[in-house]
Amino acid sequence: MISDIQVMIAGYAGDGVLFTGNVLGKILKRQGWEVVTYRDFPSNIRGEAMNYTIRASLNKIYSRGDYIDVLMAFNCDAILRHIKSVGENGVILCEGSVTESVRLSPKKGRTFHKFPMRELAKKNFRSEIFKNTILLGGLCYILDLDMKIIREVLSEVFLKRKGKEIVEKNIQALRLGCDEAEKIIKEEERHSLEERPDKDRLFLSGDEAIALGALAAGCRFFAAYPICPATEIWQWLLKHIHKFNGLVVQTEDEIAAINMALGAAYSGVRAMTSTSGPGASLMMEGFSLAGMAEIPIVVAHVQRVGPSTGLPTRPEQSDLNQWVFGAHGDFPRIVLSPGTIEECFYFMADAFNLAEKYQCPVILLTEQNYGQNFYTVEKFDLSRVSIDRGMLLSQDELLKIEDYKRYALTENGISPRVVPSMANGIHMVEGNEHDEKGYRDEDEEIRIKMMNKRMTKLNIAAKDVIPPKLWGKEESDIGIIGFGSTICPIREAMDQLEEKGISTKYLQVRTLWPFSAAEVEEFMSSCNTVFVVENNYSGQLSRLIQGQGVECSRVHKINKYSGHTFRPVEIAESMLGVLEQ
Amino acid sequence: MKENSYHLHDPTWCRGCGIYGIFAALKKAAASLQIPPERMVIVTGIGCHGRLNNYFNAYGFHGLHGRVLPVAAGVKLANSSLAVLAVSGDGDAYSIGVGHFIHANRRNVNMICIVVDNRVYGLTQGQTSPTSQKGYVSVSSPFGSKETPLDGPRLAIVSGGTFVARGFSGIPEHLTALIIEGMTHNGFSLIEVLSPCVTHNKINTYKWFKEHIVNLDDDTNFSAKNKKKALEVLSDQSKIPIGLLYHEERPSFDDLSLPSDTPIALTKLDVDEKKLDAIMKDFM
Ligand SMILES: Cc1ncc(C[n+]2csc(CCOP(=O)(O)OP(=O)(O)O)c2C)c(N)n1
Ligand code: SF4
Ligand SMILES: [Mg+2]
């Protein structure tokens, strides 16, 4: 029996590809399998090519695989686009009849079938809408899925919104698709995995994990402006935050979003905003204010392809520089980079705790392929989430202080914080340079003291942030360094190399600022060859490493900036190319 | 609470600056409403007006040029029990922050916004502002301003503002009354205050303003409930009406969107495992 399958649904935007993929993902998760999705869609609504890859496995998987086992194509064009990625024993089902060009394309071991979803839907239900469920029915046969599970998922999807009748019709359509596939698919063309119990697992996107993490971490105010691929964070929160007496506000732009969040954070509420490249550029001035005025605020940034409007729905890692070096002036900032969906969740609590402990802005930097793709994970452990509000004083504590100073000079740079409405705590929160009470002051000596105070906090935080994580064989002398979601293809590439007898290790940088220079240096010195793998053009991480004065002569950069994530084999082959020299 | 309970420091604006009148009117209004200083937050923009909360005994937030209104809305929505006051300038509110100004009017968060209109950029040494009159000569328009001035109250009304007023820092009692009324209005209250900049603006002086203003209180035909009337009075370019221009009762953004009467900031913060667990089921 096989242990891994990969299905691609491909068509044009408007064919229902996203919907079908989402439902299929959920079904495969309920079968007890590990699931990873890869949604590849342009930033428009209708008419352009798009596809949805769903990989399921009995083993832990991290990324989309290299080859497709089943391609469900809504048109011939989709076959031509993806035939290269279909594996040797792949099955291709196509809505229309197969054209000459497809017939002539190389197809060693691959088989084609006409699967007339639209036609069947029109004939049997007088509506094209059912084509997607018919398609699911076809997959149900090929993948030998559990009918009970599919029924369950379909009724969850349709019952509340559309009612019982629609559920029943969809189940009929499902049967129809299944029967049709049985007629045309040979037994040896079926790809089935062993069903397993699905216990205590979640199936969610990085955006949803961030939103859930924010809620668990006590985020009660969220201000944001719509932008792909980060909007899902607050759209999900909107459904739940009121149950916790919290609020989401859609603002007029990102400038308002960060400033409104700053106002709320200053009022004593855990507040955040979310955005992507262009929005982050607009937030830079507010980011700088947060640093100067020492306001704890969290920004979740889901990276897309830049510069400018770039490729709005596709992944890249080119906004590291923006948060690590961006905005005017020197001020403390913390930039976290989750490498798994679990970390998207758990790092939110870290982000809020660090923000309040060090009274500075904290950025959670992730990428579109996490933000908008779905993964199976163990149910989150809420006992691992705790809330640490740092030096936030209670009213009683404040009343005991004789002469309260918001920006009191202390050894570690952290000053006791109070919020408006507290008696005995009146002060200014100031974006201009200020004295200990927050009142504007341009005295040279005060300026130096205040700069040192703020930057001291960062030195202390450097010992308290999330350290890098080591994966793979510690004793290996071939090292890989990266951050964020590239861990997915990297870990798969490491497995591929291991099969070839080449052991490797991976250092996942989890805090981009303050940078874990010592750990990175130590890791590099234990390697003969080091690869820095990044989804960007210039190698922003490798430049960051270089900027720390780390010896970098043995570093080989592997970069991809096509608007897509790496396929594992691309990384493995690039590494082999260097190693075999 | 007496007026001087709100007086923290003596201001250092230029002698004769209009903002002194606004400072005095604000202290009077706060005293008359008996707002405890710690329950009051004054958010200011960048400009001469931005210094106001340095001198006023209340919680203060001095942020970025043009971003007063989103900050103030965040403060208020996070803790609805606070009295929140935004102080902005003609450059701050009508130029760099004009997008927020429009949306603050339509959003209608329960707070008050004072725009100090000196028709010039005071702090940056006298450049032409969006309210400077056409032909206004300054360091930034040596051949006279080529642009038509912007009328803040008019923009507020057409943007959906629910309380739109204009005062003059030269008539402090009238201004105090407007501020008190604005503070008791449920929703976003705009009070634009004509405020001479004695250092940089030699055109719009106290004398000039006195000659051009008309007090709507003296017009028995005028009603602030009538939007059409308000826009009509504002369209007469030869006069500058002061007083309450437009007033409408409409549920505030706070009324419509805050999940409960308990201010968010005063809700106990903990990890509610039961509630979160139930939500996690959505992903199973
Ligand atoms: C983003 C940004 N651009 C420019 C400035 C410089 N600046 C400071 S105050 C000001 C104009 C202030 O004019 P106004 O709002 O009318 O305030 P006034 O001084 O007249 O009270 C400018 C342009 C700034 N602080 N920030
Ligand atoms: S420059 Fe003008 S606005 Fe500023 S304090 Fe002086 S008089 Fe007032
Ligand atoms: Mg001005």
Side-chain angles (χ1 to χ4, degrees):
Chain A
M1 242 187 163
I2 50 169
S3 62
D4 204 296
I5 47 171
Q6 179 149 282
V7 178
M8 180 190 274
I9 303 165
Y12 292 126
D15 279 339
V17 173
L18 278 185
F19 170 80
T20 321
N22 288 344
V23 176
L24 180 65
K26 192 140 202 172
I27 293 169
L28 300 188
K29 180 257 177 188
R30 294 274 174 92
Q31 295 271 145
W33 304 332
E34 296 284 330
V35 180
V36 169
T37 71
Y38 188 76
R39 310 201 300 180
D40 175 9
F41 57 103
S43 65
N44 84 338
I45 313 295
R46 237 162 222 288
E48 275 182 56
M50 67 186 303
N51 65 79
Y52 198 134
T53 305
I54 301 131
R55 181 180 174 199
S57 176
L58 298 177
N59 308 317
K60 179 83 194 148
I61 47 172
Y62 304 94
S63 103
R64 64 173 165 151
D66 294 322
Y67 301 105
I68 300 161
D69 301 304
V70 183
L71 172 62
M72 287 294 220
F74 277 96
N75 50 59
C76 275
D77 179 42
I79 301 183
L80 287 172
R81 272 172 205 274
H82 301 292
I83 185 106
K84 282 197 305 282
S85 323
V86 177
E88 276 188 14
N89 295 311
V91 192
I92 301 167
L93 276 78
C94 184
E95 155 75 37
S97 53
V98 174
T99 59
E100 201 56 22
S101 51
V102 169
R103 214 183 298 282
L104 293 176
S105 63
K107 54 170 184 175
K108 198 175 99 205
R110 301 174 183 118
T111 51
F112 293 97
H113 297 286
K114 178 177 166 162
F115 190 67
M117 311 165 246
R118 277 203 170 81
E119 210 176 286
L120 286 169
K122 272 195 240 161
K123 205 168 96 198
N124 292 278
F125 302 97
R126 291 208 202 93
S127 163
E128 259 198 21
I129 285 206
F130 293 90
K131 64 183 185 307
N132 302 88
T133 312
I134 293 174
L135 183 157
L136 283 174
L139 284 171
C140 170
Y141 180 77
I142 300 171
L143 305 179
D144 196 14
L145 303 178
D146 187 337
M147 257 301 193
K148 219 177 80 220
I149 290 177
I150 307 185
R151 268 170 168 268
E152 197 179 272
V153 172
L154 282 181
S155 46
E156 280 167 31
V157 171
F158 290 114
L159 197 59
K160 245 204 219 133
R161 278 191 300 154
K162 306 260 163 109
K164 216 167 155 188
E165 200 188 328
I166 295 291
V167 175
E168 278 317 308
K169 272 201 168 159
N170 272 286
I171 287 170
Q172 280 171 32
L174 188 79
R175 283 235 174 75
L176 191 74
C178 193
D179 293 347
E180 182 70 18
E182 193 173 352
K183 277 186 235 157
I184 57 176
I185 302 287
K186 293 193 225 54
E187 191 55 36
E188 66 269 23
E189 288 173 332
R190 296 178 76 187
H191 292 68
S192 65
L193 302 183
E194 192 184 337
E195 187 175 340
R196 289 196 308 202
D198 170 33
K199 253 193 86 198
D200 278 347
R201 295 186 319 149
L202 309 176
F203 183 58
L204 79 176
S205 70
D207 278 355
E208 288 168 335
I210 289 169
L212 186 60
L215 204 53
C219 171
R220 298 292 178 262
F221 189 89
F222 200 111
Y225 187 75
I227 189 166
C228 221
T231 313
E232 283 91 335
I233 299 174
W234 54 274
Q235 285 185 353
W236 183 88
L237 262 182
L238 269 166
K239 291 188 274 189
H240 302 288
I241 202 168
H242 59 275
K243 301 173 199 163
F244 298 78
N245 203 32
L247 182 67
V248 174
V249 181
Q250 176 176 334
T251 55
E252 54 273 27
D253 55 32
E254 286 87 349
I255 300 174
I258 192 164
N259 280 282
M260 205 180 277
L262 284 169
Y266 157 74
S267 260
V269 170
R270 286 199 154 185
M272 70 178 288
T273 178
S274 64
T275 193
S276 192
S281 296
L282 291 185
M283 286 183 186
M284 283 297 135
E285 196 191 14
F287 180 36
S288 176
L289 169 61
M292 178 59 138
E294 306 196 39
I295 303 171
I297 189 186
V298 174
V299 182
H301 177 133
V302 189
Q303 293 168 93
R304 59 192 229 180
V305 178
S308 187
T309 310
L311 301 168
T313 57
R314 298 180 190 284
E316 200 166 80
Q317 296 183 306
S318 53
D319 296 331
L320 178 158
N321 286 347
Q322 193 173 23
W323 291 110
V324 171
F325 301 113
H328 56 296
D330 286 325
F331 60 90
R333 61 192 70 199
I334 296 172
V335 186
L336 305 178
S337 160
T340 58
I341 298 295
E342 287 89 338
E343 287 181 347
C344 286
F345 174 84
Y346 293 112
F347 282 15
M348 279 315 293
D350 294 308
F352 277 104
N353 289 342
L354 288 166
E356 291 212 308
K357 257 168 101 174
Y358 298 101
Q359 301 176 16
C360 73
V362 177
I363 312 305
L364 185 98
L365 188 64
T366 182
E367 299 97 48
Q368 181 275 342
N369 45 306
Y370 268 170
Q372 296 189 306
N373 281 311
F374 297 87
Y375 297 77
T376 41
V377 295
E378 290 300 311
K379 194 174 150 196
F380 299 133
D381 179 2
L382 294 169
S383 70
R384 276 178 60 190
V385 179
S386 60
I387 292 174
D388 177 355
R389 306 212 64 182
M391 290 288 281
L392 181 64
L393 300 186
S394 68
Q395 178 68 77
D396 288 346
E397 288 168 320
L398 175 58
L399 286 173
K400 287 190 201 112
I401 295 178
E402 200 173 308
D403 185 21
Y404 173 72
K405 293 180 177 132
R406 169 66 189 94
Y407 299 108
L409 294 166
T410 60
E411 206 172 311
N412 60 8
I414 303 166
S415 324
R417 187 166 70 104
V418 308
V419 298
S421 84
M422 286 187 171
N424 199 35
I426 285 184
H427 65 269
M428 276 289 291
V429 154
E430 207 13 298
N432 277 72
E433 192 56 276
H434 43 261
D435 64 15
E436 288 181 278
K437 287 202 157 186
Y439 292 89
R440 209 178 61 87
D441 201 322
E442 301 201 357
D443 181 80
E444 209 176 335
E445 208 175 302
I446 287 191
R447 160 69 182 171
I448 294 169
K449 279 188 178 150
M450 282 295 161
M451 272 309 283
N452 292 345
K453 159 197 166 30
R454 287 187 295 267
M455 298 314 273
T456 300
K457 294 191 298 181
L458 191 65
N459 297 338
I460 310 270
K463 298 180 193 97
D464 192 22
V465 290
I466 304 162
K469 185 168 174 174
L470 187 71
W471 302 81
K473 295 250 160 68
E474 206 181 329
E475 62 282 5
S476 162
D477 61 4
I478 303 167
I480 308 166
I481 303 176
F483 70 104
S485 66
T486 39
I487 189 178
C488 300
I490 289 172
R491 294 216 51 203
E492 303 246 348
M494 287 165 75
D495 289 346
Q496 292 178 6
L497 291 170
E498 191 70 44
E499 273 171 34
K500 293 193 162 71
I502 303 169
S503 290
T504 54
K505 60 185 174 187
Y506 175 53
L507 192 73
Q508 178 206 349
V509 178
R510 301 192 295 178
T511 303
L512 293 165
W513 201 261
F515 193 67
S516 318
E519 289 95 332
V520 170
E521 187 157 26
E522 193 192 319
F523 175 83
M524 286 173 64
S525 65
S526 73
C527 303
N528 276 330
T529 317
V530 177
F531 297 90
V532 181
V533 179
E534 296 176 71
N535 247 163
N536 58 39
Y537 178 87
S538 63
Q540 298 192 359
L541 176 64
S542 64
R543 286 185 177 189
L544 188 60
I545 297 171
Q546 234 165 23
Q548 307 302 305
V550 180
E551 210 283 298
C552 286
S553 58
R554 282 160 302 162
V555 168
H556 298 271
K557 291 197 211 174
I558 300 179
N559 297 74
K560 183 168 180 177
Y561 45 89
S562 65
H564 290 272
T565 58
F566 287 98
R567 285 176 196 280
V569 66
E570 292 170 342
I571 297 175
E573 279 172 3
S574 300
M575 287 175 66
L576 279 174
V578 172
L579 293 171
E580 281 163 3
Q581 267 169 23
Chain B
M1 231 83 56
K2 294 223 180 60
E3 220 178 290
N4 63 7
S5 328
Y6 303 96
H7 191 98
L8 187 67
H9 297 299
D10 288 342
T12 56
W13 292 299
C14 307
R15 266 176 71 180
C17 171
I19 314 180
Y20 281 100
I22 302 172
F23 181 59
L26 263 176
K27 287 187 289 182
K28 278 209 182 73
S32 133
L33 293 168
Q34 286 293 297
I35 307 172
E38 68 269 13
R39 303 215 66 86
M40 206 172 160
V41 178
I42 304 182
V43 184
T44 55
I46 307 297
C48 293
H49 65 273
R51 298 282 159 82
L52 190 136
N53 45 6
N54 269 264
Y55 315 130
F56 201 101
N57 186 34
Y59 276 93
F61 187 119
H62 186 223
L64 300 170
H65 188 29
R67 316 303 168 198
V68 189
L69 294 173
V71 170
V75 174
K76 178 69 183 180
L77 293 171
N79 188 347
S80 50
S81 72
L82 297 168
V84 178
L85 191 101
V87 178
S88 188
D90 44 327
D92 202 74
Y94 301 153
S95 189
I96 193 166
V98 72
H100 308 310
F101 179 78
I102 292 170
H103 289 277
N105 277 286
R106 54 179 284 267
R107 191 171 285 129
N108 200 30
V109 171
N110 189 10
M111 62 191 210
I112 173 167
C113 167
I114 290 179
V115 177
V116 179
D117 181 19
N118 51 15
R119 307 195 162 193
V120 73
Y121 284 6
L123 189 69
T124 46
Q125 308 300 311
Q127 295 83 357
T128 300
S129 103
T131 52
S132 304
Q133 64 192 45
K134 207 163 183 175
Y136 182 76
V137 175
S138 80
V139 281
S140 69
S141 59
F143 307 109
S145 162
K146 312 290 182 217
E147 289 151 297
T148 301
L150 182 149
D151 184 332
R154 202 148 85 174
L155 181 58
I157 293 171
V158 299
S159 303
T162 52
F163 184 102
V164 181
R166 184 187 271 141
F168 173 38
S169 63
I171 318 179
E173 321 76 59
H174 177 255
L175 178 59
T176 307
L178 281 180
I179 295 174
I180 292 172
E181 213 177 335
M183 281 185 158
T184 40
H185 167 69
N186 177 34
F188 183 77
S189 317
L190 166 72
I191 302 172
E192 182 189 274
V193 187
L194 307 169
S195 173
C197 168
V198 293
T199 305
H200 296 296
N201 190 332
K202 305 294 182 196
I203 304 289
N204 309 113
T205 58
Y206 283 97
K207 184 165 169 280
W208 185 92
F209 277 122
K210 275 189 193 131
E211 283 163 7
H212 287 79
I213 53 177
V214 284
N215 193 333
L216 290 171
D217 295 348
D218 303 334
D219 181 351
T220 46
N221 280 329
F222 183 78
S223 158
K225 300 265 173 252
N226 189 332
K227 196 181 272 194
K228 233 171 109 186
K229 261 261 161 59
L231 291 171
E232 208 177 284
V233 215
L234 285 166
S235 65
D236 180 356
Q237 303 289 315
S238 63
K239 298 202 178 65
I240 310 171
I242 62 165
L244 180 56
L245 290 150
Y246 182 63
H247 184 200
E248 168 191 328
E249 291 297 341
R250 186 170 87 214
S252 65
F253 186 82
D254 323 38
D255 296 337
L256 297 171
S257 52
L258 285 175
S260 80
D261 291 338
T262 311
I264 300 175
L266 305 183
T267 323
K268 194 170 163 273
L269 200 61
D270 53 11
V271 184
D272 190 334
E273 295 202 18
K274 227 171 111 192
K275 256 194 242 171
L276 291 162
D277 224 50
I279 291 172
M280 253 196 274
K281 293 225 157 62
D282 283 3
F283 298 121
M284 288 192 151

